[in-house]
Amino acid sequence: MSQEILEILKETDAFLEGHFLLSSGKHSDQYVQCAKVLRFPDAAAKVLAPVVEQLKALEIDKVVGPAMGGVIVSYEIGRQLGKESIFTERKDGLMELRRGFELKPGERVIITEDVVTTGKSTIETKKVLEELGAVVLGVACIADRRAAGVEINMPIYSAIKLEITAWDPDDCPVCKAGKVALVKPGSRGNA
């Protein structure tokens, strides 16, 4: 199944190969931009179907995605599970539940992301949801691309696990080869 998911990511230009400047400041020769696959509803449904299969055994009341990356994923997982989909967003730099969305104490929720890398927005969202009394069951995502040692202390349900190497700029073999221009993809820190 992972190979099929990878092929869909490649076909939709969501999985790229080249020379990339990551938000961490490190360099990589691969990059995943799930917004590209989420442009296509049929492709989104296909890549998230294996995640939904993993979630069916859980008793989920709501699906919650942090804006931006988790919103479409939340919607599609909610659609496939027949559950309400809501999202958190930042206000003055802090993640919160807005727009009249509500959680009742004890509601069982799954957090959704497009890609889990550091878990920063997931952990922030978990804190907000738990402060509202929700029971967070884990995080569901298209791609789990956490590096070794990155723990978020909750179950992760993903369509694919990607091991993407990142180097400090001084150690980057792509830079040393000098054949591929450095590109800064992604959304964090971009205007």
Side-chain angles (χ1 to χ4, degrees):
M1 180 57 80
S2 289
Q3 189 58 40
E4 182 181 334
I5 300 298
L6 184 59
E7 288 306 314
I8 294 169
L9 295 177
K10 286 181 177 181
E11 288 168 9
T12 59
D13 292 328
F15 183 85
L16 303 171
E17 295 179 286
H19 189 200
F20 306 100
L21 174 61
L22 306 177
S23 59
S24 65
K26 294 187 178 211
H27 292 197
S28 182
D29 60 353
Q30 297 175 323
Y31 189 79
V32 63
Q33 175 58 272
C34 285
K36 295 280 193 153
V37 72
L38 295 171
R39 301 176 293 167
F40 303 105
D42 289 347
K46 285 179 189 171
V47 298
L48 288 167
V51 179
V52 169
E53 283 303 313
Q54 296 172 60
L55 299 175
K56 283 183 177 176
L58 304 176
E59 293 177 24
I60 298 169
D61 296 311
K62 288 184 182 165
V63 183
V64 184
M68 262 314 290
V71 175
I72 297 172
V73 176
S74 175
Y75 176 84
E76 181 56 29
I77 287 177
R79 186 190 70 77
Q80 289 188 36
L81 288 173
K83 300 295 179 181
E84 183 179 349
S85 167
I86 61 177
F87 58 89
T88 58
E89 58 191 307
R90 293 190 193 284
K91 181 178 179 192
D92 300 325
L94 299 174
M95 194 66 78
E96 60 183 53
L97 198 61
R98 302 177 61 200
R99 301 177 190 259
F101 294 148
E102 295 179 353
L103 284 170
K104 294 181 179 85
E107 280 192 299
R108 298 166 55 86
V109 300
I110 193 83
I111 297 171
T112 61
E113 295 277 9
D114 53 356
V115 180
V116 175
T117 305
T118 63
K120 182 178 185 287
S121 63
T122 303
I123 292 166
E124 288 177 70
T125 299
K126 181 178 190 258
K127 181 177 184 262
V128 168
L129 301 177
E130 288 178 339
E131 286 172 356
L132 295 169
V135 176
V136 177
L137 302 173
V139 60
C141 61
I142 296 171
D144 175 0
R145 69 154 292 240
R146 291 172 299 141
V150 175
E151 289 295 326
I152 62 169
N153 298 317
M154 69 178 108
I156 295 181
Y157 306 93
S158 67
I160 189 168
K161 171 73 174 148
L162 295 172
E163 298 195 17
I164 296 177
T165 306
W167 304 279
D168 288 324
D170 293 340
D171 298 325
C172 176
V174 185
C175 285
K176 290 176 182 174
K179 296 179 182 174
V180 181
L182 184 65
V183 176
K184 186 179 189 315
S187 59
R188 199 172 287 172
N190 291 350

